Amino acid sequence: MADMVRAVVQTGPRQMELREFPRPVISAGGGPGGAQDGALLRVEACGICGSDVEQYKGAMGSRGLPMIPGHEPLGIIEEITPETAARWGVKAGDRVAVEILIPCRSCDLCLAGQYMQCKSRPGSHGGYNPPERGLGLYGGYAEYMHLHPNSIVHPVRADIPAQIAVMYNPLGAGVRWALQYGGVHLGSTVLVLGAGQRGLAAILASKYVGAGLIIATGLGRDAAKLELAREFGADVTINVEEEDTVARVRELTGGDGVDVVLDLTPIALSPILDAVNAVRWGGTIVLAGLKGRSADGEPRAVSLPTDMLINKALTVKGAFSVDAAAYMDAIRLIESGKFPLEKMQTHKFGLDDVEHAIQLLAGEVPGENGIHVAIMPGL
Ligand SMILES: [Zn+2]
Ligand SMILES: [Zn+2]
């Protein structure tokens, strides 16, 4: 095995370079504070999403740079200390999906199952870790990653192509947002606003549990994604540039509106008002599309008719992140083989082409339309 590990390092906004790092040495209790404990993961694939795009552009600030991005990794455990193997229930040779957060696993929030908000986390995978912390190789844009003993991993069957198995991340979001936050279940009527990889994932999750009516929206340029939405289980798709979403939803639901609306559209504010108008009395709206900040730096705001929330007895939920239960359900969905997920997997690139991959997902590469884009360090 090579002594050096290739990894993509972000040094500034839109600045990335390939660097070599010494291959981490894993040893039980080794290094300061047990920093070398844990496992060594050979990265097979790392998904990229809108957060990678924001990170690349520098929208998340430059504190913590340089760093190795990549927060949706999947790989094979190559080395693991006996204690970590016992705690995680995995062994060398196993394929695992890795969660972004490395929680402390013992604060009040961790014990309450809200570990995504852990206040004393040792770090995160693909987040802004100080470069001097631990063994450095935290992110998934690399041939190998060091997994801290507190990392959270989920076993995934090894016979599924890596570029498909790595979709545990967007599918986990679909499960979390549609099923857990939205409460979609057998027979539910659902409106999914936005047809990106997470919109498609929400459709898959809703279909998986037997939703009765699934409606999905997109723009004119999303035609291919809306076609895929129908293939994945959407009963009706709406091109919002040609049709009025609310009128169409009312028509499809006998005037009642749908049980659950998910807003997954970035930046656009009008879908939030569409959600309020298209949801039925007593229904649930899940907000997961970040709207960003205005030129003055303030969060972009929509003027919300709060009387409608009251008079329609609505529940509005902010969907933050994904948890272990959702990731596990998403992995079961992938392993079920029930959906042609390969149709969502549009592009895969090696470490030399990470910037191109991110630009492609961001829609900056003319003529290319990415849905799920994976970095595969072995390519
Ligand atoms: Zn992501
Ligand atoms: Zn904690």
Side-chain angles (χ1 to χ4, degrees):
M1 190 185 303
D3 294 335
M4 300 301 278
V5 174
R6 293 194 316 148
V8 174
V9 177
Q10 177 156 11
T11 55
R14 290 182 177 271
Q15 286 180 336
M16 285 182 167
E17 59 191 50
L18 206 50
R19 288 190 193 167
E20 292 204 325
F21 294 80
R23 184 176 172 281
V25 176
I26 305 297
S27 63
Q36 283 166 278
D37 210 333
L40 184 69
L41 184 86
R42 176 169 58 81
V43 180
E44 292 181 283
C46 185
I48 65 178
C49 74
S51 300
D52 293 78
V53 174
E54 296 302 309
Q55 208 169 36
Y56 174 65
K57 290 178 177 171
M60 296 183 182
S62 55
R63 194 173 54 89
L65 295 178
M67 51 83 78
I68 302 171
H71 60 275
E72 305 183 5
L74 172 94
I76 306 288
I77 302 265
E78 286 223 339
E79 288 178 36
I80 188 164
T81 65
E83 192 184 53
T84 301
R87 291 174 74 213
W88 294 353
V90 301
K91 58 185 185 314
D94 286 354
R95 172 190 265 180
V96 294
V98 183
E99 290 199 26
I100 174 169
L101 284 173
I102 307 171
C104 78
R105 296 186 182 235
S106 51
C107 72
D108 54 349
L109 289 169
C110 281
L111 294 178
Q114 296 164 340
Y115 66 91
M116 296 89 86
Q117 281 299 90
C118 173
K119 283 175 261 179
S120 44
R121 61 187 80 157
S124 63
H125 292 295
Y128 294 88
N129 305 287
E132 67 279 7
R133 181 184 284 168
L135 297 178
L137 287 168
Y138 277 97
Y141 296 177
E143 291 171 323
Y144 287 89
M145 282 169 75
H146 171 235
L147 304 185
H148 186 281
N150 282 24
S151 296
I152 302 175
V153 303
H154 302 290
V156 184
R157 244 174 45 204
D159 61 329
I160 296 163
Q163 67 271 24
I164 304 297
V166 76
M167 289 188 207
Y168 75 87
N169 190 292
L171 288 170
V175 169
R176 174 86 166 154
W177 301 346
L179 310 188
Q180 296 182 357
Y181 284 122
V184 172
H185 58 272
L186 184 65
S188 296
T189 53
V190 191
L191 170 64
V192 179
L193 300 169
Q197 52 172 284
R198 276 159 179 76
L200 292 167
I203 292 166
L204 286 166
S206 299
K207 190 70 183 173
Y208 193 61
V209 298
L213 174 69
I214 302 172
I215 306 164
T217 70
L219 303 169
R221 65 165 188 261
D222 297 326
K225 292 176 186 171
L226 292 177
E227 191 184 323
L228 197 49
R230 292 191 291 276
E231 203 164 337
F232 282 174
D235 299 283
V236 180
T237 55
I238 298 171
N239 173 348
V240 301
E241 288 169 324
E242 287 176 358
E243 281 185 281
D244 182 276
T245 304
V246 175
R248 188 85 172 96
V249 169
R250 287 197 179 137
E251 178 193 322
L252 288 162
T253 56
D256 290 342
V258 291
D259 298 326
V260 183
V261 183
L262 306 177
D263 175 39
L264 309 179
T265 60
I267 311 299
L269 297 174
S270 62
I272 296 178
L273 295 173
D274 286 346
V276 173
N277 284 297
V279 72
R280 73 159 168 82
W281 193 94
T284 300
I285 296 172
V286 178
L287 302 178
L290 290 170
K291 306 306 182 188
R293 292 178 182 274
S294 314
D296 59 4
E298 292 299 312
R300 281 159 51 76
V302 61
S303 109
L304 204 59
T306 53
D307 283 5
M308 279 184 74
L309 305 188
I310 297 169
N311 290 329
K312 287 180 83 171
L314 299 183
T315 301
V316 180
K317 295 184 183 178
F320 176 77
S321 193
V322 183
D323 71 351
Y327 282 127
M328 288 190 281
D329 283 348
I331 291 166
R332 298 295 91 76
L333 188 156
I334 293 168
E335 292 177 340
S336 78
K338 284 187 177 164
F339 299 98
L341 297 174
E342 63 280 0
K343 295 193 173 167
M344 187 158 88
Q345 213 296 308
T346 52
H347 298 80
K348 46 185 198 278
F349 297 100
L351 291 178
D352 293 317
D353 298 312
V354 166
E355 287 194 75
H356 179 76
I358 295 172
Q359 290 161 4
L360 193 154
L361 187 75
E364 295 176 359
V365 178
E368 294 278 7
N369 229 329
I371 302 180
H372 189 271
V373 180
I375 302 302
M376 310 205 46
L379 284 183

